[in-house]
Amino acid sequence: MRTLPLSKVYQLLEPGPVTLLVTADEGRANVMAMSWHMMMEFEPPGIACIVSPAGYSHEALEKTGECVIAVPAATMAERVVGIGNCSGRTIDKFERFHLHHRKAQIVAPPLLVECIANIECRVVDRRMVRDYGMYILEAVKAWHDPAQARAPMFHHRGWGEFAMDGDIVRIPSNMR
Ligand SMILES: Cc1cc2nc3c(=O)[nH]c(=O)nc-3n(C[C@H](O)[C@H](O)[C@H](O)COP(=O)(O)O)c2cc1C
């Protein structure tokens, strides 16, 4: 074993799927890439996520308390990284990245049609926002595209490196 710089720890635990966080500020929808998220509860699903105060998405989430988490397939990886490398403050990312959207059922931000799944969420806890930019969300409605049920997702490993989903295996487990 050798020392691993603490700055690299996140790259070990990081690989949840890269997602897209959709917000809407006074009717103006925006989207950012988001890989710092964590499940907290099965049902209703609780999700913790870090949304940096530097971004426009943070402003919108803070104001409205609503968002959609969309899960893109690996085939969208380059587009998603592009979305995560610019700000909706100055760009219409829907136009720039040719994103198709449709109205969500419960929240104001739209669903992303090309994604594997979309989760409509409401902010339920802001206690960690000031210190960590961490919002606790509750999923209030979820959608998936059956045509993409087996589509591989992709995972951020840091510094421009990504892992694409590979084989799915079954190992008996007591975890639900
Ligand atoms: C792969 C990837 C993952 C990212 N994950 C996060 C994240 O979890 N939280 C965050 O605040 N920013 C994350 N970012 C950065 C935001 O997506 C980026 O700051 C975005 O451009 C903000 O856009 P906005 O100003 O329109 O909100 C990520 C970027 C990339 C490329």
Side-chain angles (χ1 to χ4, degrees):
M1 291 285 188
R2 297 214 177 123
T3 295
L4 180 74
L6 289 177
S7 63
K8 299 202 168 202
V9 166
Y10 92 92
Q11 291 180 260
L12 298 173
L13 301 182
E14 166 77 0
V18 179
T19 65
L20 291 166
L21 184 85
V22 191
T23 48
D25 181 10
E26 289 172 13
R28 186 170 178 269
N30 183 40
V31 55
M32 69 169 239
M34 181 178 77
S35 49
W36 286 14
H37 53 76
M38 180 182 76
M39 285 308 303
M40 294 180 65
E41 185 51 272
F42 288 113
E43 231 174 291
I47 303 160
C49 62
I50 306 290
V51 182
S52 161
Y56 181 44
S57 303
H58 184 276
E59 241 175 85
L61 190 57
E62 192 52 34
K63 221 190 272 183
T64 65
E66 292 186 341
C67 62
V68 167
I69 297 177
V71 182
T75 49
M76 284 182 70
E78 282 191 28
R79 247 194 312 168
V80 171
V81 175
I83 290 165
N85 279 281
C86 60
S87 178
R89 257 196 207 96
T90 50
I91 291 167
D92 179 345
K93 297 197 206 179
F94 284 82
E95 203 179 289
R96 164 79 63 94
F97 296 99
H98 310 292
L99 293 169
H100 298 94
H101 54 90
R102 51 161 273 208
K103 212 171 153 6
Q105 188 174 300
I106 297 176
V107 302
L111 312 178
L112 298 184
V113 173
E114 44 271 276
C115 284
I116 298 173
N118 282 270
I119 309 162
E120 299 186 32
C121 298
R122 280 205 182 113
V123 173
V124 291
D125 193 333
R126 298 172 193 251
R127 278 176 291 183
M128 308 280 258
V129 173
R130 205 190 60 188
D131 288 348
Y132 302 105
M134 183 160 101
Y135 288 89
I136 310 299
L137 308 174
E138 188 175 293
V140 291
K141 176 83 195 165
W143 309 85
H144 74 122
D145 174 7
Q148 298 194 71
R150 288 274 174 190
M153 301 171 194
F154 69 106
H155 311 266
H156 188 217
R157 291 170 51 89
W159 300 109
E161 198 173 278
F162 294 86
M164 304 301 182
D165 275 347
D167 294 340
I168 294 174
V169 298
R170 293 198 69 82
I171 298 170
S173 160
N174 291 333
M175 177 71 174
R176 173 172 151 191

